[in-house]
Amino acid sequence: MRALVLKCANLSWTDSGDKARASAFRHDAQYIMYIYLRDSYTTTGRDVFETFTITGEPVQLGLLSVADATTGRIIWFSTLQRKDGDLRTRKGMHEAISLLLRDMPVL
């Protein structure tokens, strides 16, 4: 797991909004999970070109964080950067989420 780079010592999601906290309260949840996934797709020609050059960048990016619902403090964070995978398929989505959750502690 990569360390989370912080701008300040006490990063929190306390500004995540009253709606998120109200929803957590309504469902008696202790934690809020935030997931962000981005994928990009390319043509076969460009994919071949990027295979032989250094210009290729990760096409799939994922961020997942778990915050305490009452304080907003982030208690766990995970990232995903890779060149393969396809979020348009059930298998690709399951694989990406599994990779993001692979080191998650039992809370």
Side-chain angles (χ1 to χ4, degrees):
M1 183 169 69
R2 291 182 201 93
L4 177 61
V5 179
L6 303 176
K7 291 183 178 181
C8 61
N10 296 319
L11 178 66
S12 75
W13 287 76
T14 52
D15 296 328
S16 61
D18 293 332
K19 288 183 182 180
R21 271 194 298 272
S23 179
F25 179 76
R26 206 170 34 254
H27 297 286
D28 196 29
Q30 287 182 283
Y31 306 103
I32 301 172
M33 181 180 291
Y34 298 91
I35 301 174
Y36 171 81
L37 285 168
R38 184 180 68 81
D39 208 345
S40 61
Y41 310 96
T42 186
T43 63
T44 304
R46 183 175 175 132
D47 193 37
V48 169
F49 173 74
E50 288 182 352
T51 300
F52 297 105
T53 63
I54 310 174
T55 61
E57 304 227 353
V59 294
Q60 198 172 83
L61 171 68
L63 305 170
L64 186 145
S65 62
V66 177
D68 183 294
T70 54
T71 66
R73 293 200 39 88
I74 293 175
I75 56 174
W76 188 75
F77 187 84
S78 179
T79 63
L80 171 69
Q81 293 180 336
R82 63 185 189 155
K83 291 183 72 88
D84 59 342
D86 188 345
L87 295 177
R88 297 174 293 183
T89 66
R90 180 182 296 258
K91 180 181 178 230
M93 179 62 77
H94 183 268
E95 188 177 84
I97 296 295
S98 294
L99 287 169
L100 280 168
L101 293 172
R102 70 177 165 231
D103 295 325
M104 184 175 175
V106 177
L107 300 173

